[in-house]
Amino acid sequence: MLTLLFDGIAYGMLLFVLALGLAVTMGLMNFINLAHGAFAMAGGYVLAVLMHHHGWPFLACLPAAFVLTALAGALAERLLYRHLYGRPHLDQVLFSIGLTFMAVAAVDYAVGSSPVTIQTPEWLRGRFEFGDGAWQLGMGHYRLFVIAVCLVLALALQAVLSRTRFGSRLRAAVDDPRVAAGLGIPVDRVFLLTFAVGSGLAGLGGALGADLLGLEPSFPLKYMVYFLIVCAVGGTSSITGPLLAALLLGCADVLGKYYVPKLGAFIVYVLMIAILLWRPQGLFTREKR
């Protein structure tokens, strides 16, 4: 039980980083980007190419995945997404999901449909064992590393959004772009940077999860629903909501597949429905006055 809970927490923290960029764009920019998983997939392939074909060390590939996917997100925001900010959500959904299918087809054509295997460093392949019997706890080195990285990212992003000038400018630009622009806030630049950071976080999550979740061209379609569940259950007005929702989702998925394997992911959807019936606005969404 303890080992399963630990694996569920590691899985949940990884889902949190993967869905965090989508939560930022949905909650702070009011834009539904269903192509978010394509940036996560891009980060995973950046890691694979740099490690296997260029001999980069694993720790150097992680910031590279963040930077390159952030640049790709900035370019996409400048050329494509910016024209849809004021459009209805249905237009945003159809456009972004079309980009997802294009990304899946492009990657399948370029590298093939076979899953890519990631070889993590030797120091991340071990495992700690504590206790014995029913209270035995096994913690993999790589899962501990994922939890530590994701926790640092969550704390850093929360601090940026709540305690920095950029966070104040972003909230002002979202509440009323015209007034914010009149006060001298560069709204376009703020949105560009926010979208780039969200895409970079997706790429970093994809790089971290390449070993645990697998990496293949269908990755964006396979995990799109999970990203949406994290945002819907946790709410998008804070970092705390998606974090708690991702942890609940990760633990429920791991425990459900172990104890009731025939039901598969059914338990996750039951949990989502129960929470949304209890709090339709999400766990940590602030109610409007």
Side-chain angles (χ1 to χ4, degrees):
M1 173 64 75
L2 294 179
T3 301
L4 290 174
L5 285 176
F6 173 77
D7 290 345
I9 290 173
Y11 181 39
M13 294 295 286
L14 185 57
L15 286 178
F16 166 70
V17 173
L18 282 166
L20 187 56
L22 180 60
V24 169
T25 55
M26 287 180 61
L28 297 179
M29 299 176 62
N30 195 28
F31 185 87
I32 302 176
N33 178 27
L34 293 189
H36 183 76
F39 293 101
M41 177 182 65
Y45 277 104
V46 167
L47 175 79
V49 170
L50 292 179
M51 285 186 65
H52 296 166
H53 298 284
H54 297 282
W56 282 38
F58 177 76
L59 292 181
C61 294
L62 294 179
F66 174 84
V67 172
L68 292 178
T69 51
L71 291 176
L75 182 63
E77 195 275 344
R78 177 71 66 176
L79 298 178
L80 302 173
Y81 288 104
R82 177 166 297 186
H83 306 288
L84 295 171
Y85 282 158
R87 302 290 292 273
H89 286 166
L90 180 60
D91 294 349
Q92 299 172 359
V93 168
L94 293 176
F95 178 80
S96 58
I97 202 171
L99 290 181
T100 300
F101 282 107
M102 292 175 62
V104 169
V107 172
D108 183 70
Y109 176 80
V111 302
S113 58
S114 300
V116 176
T117 303
I118 303 296
Q119 294 293 334
T120 55
E122 186 66 29
W123 57 277
L124 289 176
R125 299 178 193 171
R127 187 180 182 87
F128 294 113
E129 296 287 347
F130 301 96
D132 56 1
W135 296 102
Q136 184 176 5
L137 171 60
M139 298 189 299
H141 292 176
Y142 189 70
R143 284 176 168 80
L144 277 175
F145 175 77
V146 168
I147 291 175
V149 172
C150 296
L151 186 60
V152 170
L153 286 174
L155 295 175
L157 187 60
Q158 179 65 29
V160 169
L161 293 177
S162 61
R163 300 182 181 181
T164 64
R165 186 178 183 183
F166 175 79
S168 301
R169 287 186 168 191
L170 176 59
R171 293 193 299 271
V174 171
D175 289 340
D176 198 322
R178 293 179 60 186
V179 174
L183 293 173
I185 296 176
V187 176
D188 291 343
R189 193 182 308 167
V190 169
F191 280 174
L192 174 65
L193 184 58
T194 303
F195 198 92
V197 171
S199 302
L201 289 173
L204 179 59
L208 286 171
D211 182 60
L212 298 178
L213 305 179
L215 184 61
E216 54 187 347
S218 61
F219 181 91
L221 301 176
K222 186 177 180 181
Y223 290 98
M224 180 190 301
V225 175
Y226 283 82
F227 303 156
L228 292 174
I229 290 176
V230 170
C231 296
V233 172
T236 56
S237 62
S238 67
I239 303 300
T240 307
L243 175 59
L244 181 57
L247 291 175
L248 288 174
L249 175 63
C251 292
D253 192 52
V254 171
L255 293 173
K257 289 180 179 178
Y258 181 82
Y259 286 110
V260 196
K262 292 183 179 180
L263 293 180
F266 179 75
I267 295 177
V268 172
Y269 296 105
V270 170
L271 178 64
M272 176 194 68
I273 293 172
I275 293 177
L276 292 180
L277 287 175
W278 171 46
R279 290 184 63 85
Q281 71 275 17
L283 293 175
F284 283 88
T285 300
R286 293 188 297 268
E287 296 182 359
K288 296 182 180 181
R289 296 181 179 179

